[in-house]
Amino acid sequence: MHVFYFPYRYQNKIIQINTDILRSIGCKVSPLADVYKWQNLTNLKKVVVLNWVEDQPYLKSYGFIKSWVYFTYYFLTILFCKLTCSEIVWIKHNFKPHARDKNAWRYRLTTSLLKFVKAKQLAHEDYYDSTYLPHPLYLDDEELKMFSTKFVEPMDIKVAFFGHVKKYKGLHKTLLHWSKDIPLEIRGKFESEEYKKQILDTINSRNLNVIVKDGYVSDEDLETLLLQTTHVLLPHEDNSMISSGSFYHAISYGCNVLALESDFSKHKASKHRFVTTSDIEKLKLKCLERNYVPKQRVILDSLAVYSRETLTTYWKNLLSVS
């Protein structure tokens, strides 16, 4: 089976994990743009897999003209794939584009088109009303089993927030009520100097025990951080995301997860003891110490649900590959 995958190259490791699994079950995987090559036009059994295609016009790196060019290109490509492919698989990640809060009519038009052409809608969470495809962990199964036996538990509670520091994630609101006795480290590139100043002003005015390190975090640095961290903070506002890559990255290294209440976090808390949903105003250090789940237990519990083996089985069933 020939699968045309978008995006084909991306900083998000999940793309690589899924395309590697597709190859492992016998699929040929190519970039989406290759559907236009003449040698692929006659293959009407090919499958297209789309991630974040509805978000493309709203990427901040695109100017006005470029955003319209990409919107038009992907809109027409979806129509073309409907005519020339056996199936369009659409993996929906968010409820709305993160880069734009209002007037996202091109987002709505693209999602409406995907529904109109009867794209098979998937999501990485089974609380959402669509076909479920597990979100993978960031380390493979054997690596995690071996890794789990070598963990050295941190001596003290340490909370970390990592990744792009963007306003939609709600960190600025969380810090307004963050307890002074809970240490927090913020690692990642801020979306703007203005937002960075807002965060620092809150930390300084409240005299919080918070360390801020602005800038790109390498894979090696992130691994070191997560190994030394007991909890990862997910302050995402409700109704912005269906799933969270940060959640799966955190539990891949045995971290407990501390999240504000949302459909996503409540769903995860109902399934896993290492997930805490809490009103930030009431959160205290003793609560984190009392409910802490050791790293090895987090890893083993996560492997039982989100392993590569499980993901491979779901892809096989989805594509009817034996």
Side-chain angles (χ1 to χ4, degrees), residues 3-10 12-19 22 29-30 32 48-57 59 74 78 88-94 107 110 114 119-120 122-124 133-136 315:
V3 176
F4 295 84
Y5 207 94
F6 176 82
Y8 188 69
R9 293 183 179 87
Y10 199 71
N12 193 319
K13 190 177 179 182
I14 300 308
I15 298 301
Q16 179 187 340
I17 293 171
N18 278 299
T19 53
L22 288 172
V29 183
S30 300
L32 175 63
V48 168
V49 179
L50 304 174
N51 296 266
W52 300 292
V53 68
E54 66 274 25
D55 293 329
Q56 294 307 300
L59 297 182
Y74 290 116
I78 292 168
I88 299 173
V89 176
W90 169 33
I91 304 177
K92 187 174 182 181
H93 297 267
N94 304 304
Y107 173 92
T110 304
L114 285 162
K120 188 175 186 63
L122 310 183
H124 286 312
L133 181 72
H135 192 299
W315 272 120

Side-chain angles (χ1 to χ4, degrees), residues 272-289:
H272 304 297
R273 197 166 63 85
F274 53 77
V275 179
T276 300
T277 59
S278 176
D279 185 338
I280 290 297
E281 296 181 31
K282 300 177 182 177
L283 187 66
K284 299 299 179 185
L285 181 61
K286 289 188 180 299
C287 174
L288 297 184
E289 292 173 338

Side-chain angles (χ1 to χ4, degrees), residues 127-191:
Y127 74 87
Y128 187 69
D129 186 22
S130 66
T131 301
Y132 173 59
L133 181 72
H135 192 299
L137 300 171
Y138 281 72
L139 300 173
D140 66 43
D141 298 356
E142 294 307 314
E143 197 174 11
L144 279 169
K145 289 173 185 175
M146 180 183 67
F147 215 30
S148 67
T149 64
K150 298 181 178 180
F151 277 121
V152 177
E153 288 293 334
M155 296 294 293
D156 301 304
I157 295 295
K158 179 182 177 182
V159 182
F161 171 93
F162 67 90
H164 294 295
V165 189
K166 298 184 177 183
K167 201 162 190 175
Y168 83 84
K169 296 184 178 181
L171 185 60
H172 58 293
K173 295 180 181 179
T174 298
L175 290 175
L176 293 174
H177 306 286
W178 189 255
S179 176
K180 294 180 181 180
D181 66 349
I182 302 177
L184 171 65
E185 183 169 342
I186 300 171
R187 294 286 298 275
K189 181 66 178 175
F190 280 77
E191 67 175 11

